[in-house]
Amino acid sequence: MVLQKAPERAVLWGYGPDGAEVRVFLSGGPVTNNAPAVSVAAGIWRATLVPMEAGGTYNVTAVLQNNHSITLTDVLFGDVWLCGGQSNMAFTTSQVFNASEELALASKFPQVRIFMAALEQSYIELTDLAGVEVPWSVPTAKLLGGGDFKHYSAVCWMFGLHLYKALKYPIGLVTSCWGGTPVEAWSSPRALQQCDLDRINGLPMPYTPSMFLSVWTNSVLWNSMIHPLLNMTLKGAIWYQGEANTNYNQKKYSCSFPSMIDDWRMAFHQSSGGQTAPDFPFGFVQVSTYRKASLSEEFPNIRWHQTADYGFAPNLRMKNTFMAVAMDLGDEMSPFDSIHPRDKQDVAYRLSLGARAVAYGEEGVSFQGPFPSRVLVNDQYINVTYDQRVSVTQSNEIFQICCSVVRAPCDSQSLWVPAPILQWGVSTIQVSTNYCSMNNVAGLRYAWRDWPCDFKACPVYSADGVLPAPLFTLNRWPDKQ
């Protein structure tokens, strides 16, 4: 396994008879240490190790009053990341483009260790995982490619590889995800209460009759697949989920997702005895595409709500977060359905850029696509100034303007018409208002479609062409007057 390195202290825990004393010894490697004796309370003991620098290997031995002992071998210290979400996080390495090449890399990176929780659900908060899909392991091609959507997460694995290559010390990856699940299932009742989502079928959770228990039931996966992990010392988490909420409590997602992040942070911090940071870095994937010709606004809406309606991350509501935009990675020919694009390499790379910049404070790492910093409306055009240099290709429809004679916010029911790109500069784009007189322009939006562009061919990217501009929607008159 990999345990969290210094400056944090790794937490180990286990089980025994109440009142008994347990000592934990760390041996091997450059130093030998042991933790103070701890007592078993309510059947559980927990020991906090001394801070350990990255590296290894070590043996960790827990001794119960000099009678019984358990030894874990080949233990490394590094950074531990939790990977959560639904099916695009569960999407296995054997399912991606160039899968054989990706699987062949497994044996070359023995210091990137993997673990995966089994699919289990529970009405009550469990203290231990009900099952393990992949125990702590050195990666192999077989473990990485163990059946479609089974193990091991391509996004999690490749994210870990990028971090290992950048940091050059061990990385531990803990995956806990389940396809087709909404954010409510992964959230505690505490978190759901913040968004008035703590009641379902008219009954407060967890008192829903058992006939309603499903992975769509509030908190059932928090109870069984997150709560048992809370004692762990983590460096951070990444998340790929949102598709299930495109038509389920969608308007609440701008509350429920940030609330889940806040609650996870609080719970991991408290349960680890303060070792996991109270604001640990949290990265997420802004969901990709589904139906190419769809006029539904469910996907653009959920992308917007994933950012707490700011359009970018980190932001004032979602501090110490980072986002990987994926709307330009659509895969119409995916044999796993177009909602499951096979290019997880770019997703993982974009997430790793965010982690390097936000979690590790690496200077000079660009991790955000261009976002408007100023919009000016003139007689015949709108000037959009971005917060960085841009790479632009012509489009007649990627931008849209809202036409309204009423000074009120625009929404999905408003009249939106194309705003063709007229010209662009180093960090500006000029779009036409010909389809709507200047006095009637009430809003502007970009890429507001389920499938806004072809593969890696959105009209606006960072200057180097690597990071796509995220979608946005802006109201000229945000509040009714």
Side-chain angles (χ1 to χ4, degrees):
M1 65 170 63
V2 175
L3 296 175
Q4 182 59 41
K5 71 170 188 67
E8 296 81 21
R9 300 167 68 187
V11 177
L12 292 173
W13 69 98
Y15 307 91
D18 282 358
E21 281 198 341
V22 175
R23 283 189 176 275
V24 177
F25 298 88
L26 190 66
S27 61
V31 296
T32 298
N33 282 303
N34 63 281
V38 294
S39 296
V40 180
I44 299 174
W45 58 267
R46 187 176 70 186
T48 304
L49 302 182
V50 296
M52 297 293 296
E53 295 302 316
T57 63
Y58 298 89
N59 291 341
V60 178
T61 301
V63 180
L64 175 66
Q65 293 186 331
N66 299 318
N67 292 327
H68 305 284
S69 67
I70 296 176
T71 298
L72 307 176
T73 61
D74 193 13
V75 175
L76 303 175
F77 285 84
D79 281 341
V80 180
W81 284 82
L82 175 63
C83 305
Q86 59 179 110
S87 56
N88 272 305
M89 182 61 84
F91 197 88
T92 307
T93 308
S94 58
Q95 296 175 265
V96 303
F97 285 126
N98 302 318
S100 57
E101 296 174 24
E102 299 294 345
L103 294 172
L105 292 174
S107 60
K108 299 178 182 178
F109 294 94
Q111 291 203 325
V112 181
R113 304 286 173 84
I114 60 175
F115 177 95
M116 187 173 183
L119 304 185
E120 300 284 352
Q121 50 190 307
S122 173
Y123 269 136
I124 61 173
E125 293 179 340
L126 303 182
T127 57
D128 197 8
L129 290 171
V132 173
E133 179 69 27
V134 180
W136 275 112
S137 304
V138 174
T140 65
K142 184 176 180 180
L143 284 176
L144 292 184
D148 294 351
F149 300 102
K150 191 168 184 181
H151 57 76
Y152 191 77
S153 166
V155 169
C156 189
W157 163 249
M158 291 188 284
F159 171 77
L161 281 193
H162 284 300
L163 290 190
Y164 177 77
K165 291 174 182 177
L167 300 169
K168 297 182 171 48
Y169 58 69
I171 299 292
L173 301 171
V174 177
T175 296
S176 187
C177 57
W178 193 321
T181 52
V183 72
E184 291 82 358
W186 297 99
S187 303
S188 74
R190 251 185 336 261
L192 295 173
Q193 193 172 21
Q194 299 300 312
C195 307
D196 296 322
L197 287 168
D198 55 320
R199 299 175 69 87
I200 197 165
N201 299 320
L203 295 169
M205 292 300 292
Y207 304 111
T208 310
S210 59
M211 62 184 291
F212 293 118
L213 182 64
S214 78
V215 291
W216 285 71
T217 303
N218 285 2
S219 305
V220 290
L221 303 183
W222 155 265
N223 290 339
S224 57
M225 297 179 68
I226 299 298
H227 190 268
L229 304 173
L230 292 182
N231 289 335
M232 293 180 64
T233 308
L234 294 179
K235 174 64 176 180
I238 57 172
W239 177 257
Y240 195 157
Q241 189 275 336
E243 298 91 342
N245 286 99
T246 54
N247 56 11
Y248 179 69
N249 292 332
Q250 181 212 98
K251 292 181 180 179
K252 291 279 193 177
Y253 201 86
S254 57
C255 176
S256 58
F257 180 43
S259 179
M260 186 203 79
I261 295 173
D262 291 345
D263 189 72
W264 279 24
R265 285 170 165 170
M266 179 274 293
F268 273 98
H269 178 66
Q270 288 189 357
S271 295
S272 66
Q275 296 308 312
T276 297
D279 61 344
F280 64 77
F282 196 105
F284 63 96
V285 183
Q286 192 179 47
V287 295
S288 186
T289 54
Y290 186 20
R291 297 186 178 95
K292 193 164 190 178
S294 174
L295 298 178
S296 167
E297 295 190 6
E298 290 177 346
F299 269 70
N301 284 343
I302 207 70
R303 291 180 191 126
W304 185 248
H305 295 330
Q306 284 183 287
T307 67
D309 299 348
Y310 279 82
F312 54 88
N315 57 55
L316 291 175
R317 175 63 186 90
M318 302 171 70
K319 296 178 180 178
N320 215 31
T321 63
F322 52 95
M323 176 175 76
V325 176
M327 66 181 182
D328 66 330
L329 303 179
D331 183 4
E332 193 176 15
M333 304 306 292
S334 172
F336 313 105
D337 193 19
S338 57
I339 203 169
H340 298 123
R342 287 167 288 177
D343 179 10
K344 296 296 189 274
Q345 288 90 337
D346 281 291
V347 172
Y349 176 65
R350 292 170 184 178
L351 278 173
S352 73
L353 294 177
R356 288 167 59 190
V358 174
Y360 295 100
E362 189 176 336
E363 294 184 6
V365 175
S366 177
F367 72 101
Q368 295 172 302
F371 199 81
S373 57
R374 185 175 61 182
V375 176
L376 296 176
V377 182
N378 293 316
D379 287 343
Q380 294 180 320
Y381 57 83
I382 298 173
N383 263 349
V384 182
T385 301
Y386 283 87
D387 58 5
Q388 59 181 270
R389 293 169 174 258
V390 293
S391 171
V392 183
T393 52
Q394 175 62 43
S395 172
N396 289 325
E397 55 185 26
I398 197 73
F399 285 95
Q400 294 177 308
I401 49 177
C402 171
C403 298
S404 175
V405 295
V406 179
R407 294 198 170 197
C410 295
D411 57 27
S412 60
Q413 305 303 312
S414 303
L415 174 62
W416 291 91
V417 297
I421 295 176
L422 297 174
Q423 57 185 5
W424 57 88
V426 172
S427 60
T428 60
I429 298 178
Q430 188 180 95
V431 300
S432 170
T433 60
N434 284 347
Y435 292 98
C436 179
S437 73
M438 183 270 291
N439 289 332
N440 292 342
V441 174
L444 173 70
R445 65 189 189 183
Y446 170 79
W448 205 265
R449 289 195 204 99
D450 178 330
W451 198 301
C453 46
D454 290 331
F455 185 75
K456 289 191 177 182
C458 280
V460 185
Y461 282 82
S462 53
D464 57 8
V466 171
L467 296 173
L471 86 172
F472 69 79
T473 182
L474 300 172
N475 274 301
R476 193 174 184 183
W477 297 290
D479 300 311
K480 293 184 179 180
Q481 298 180 358

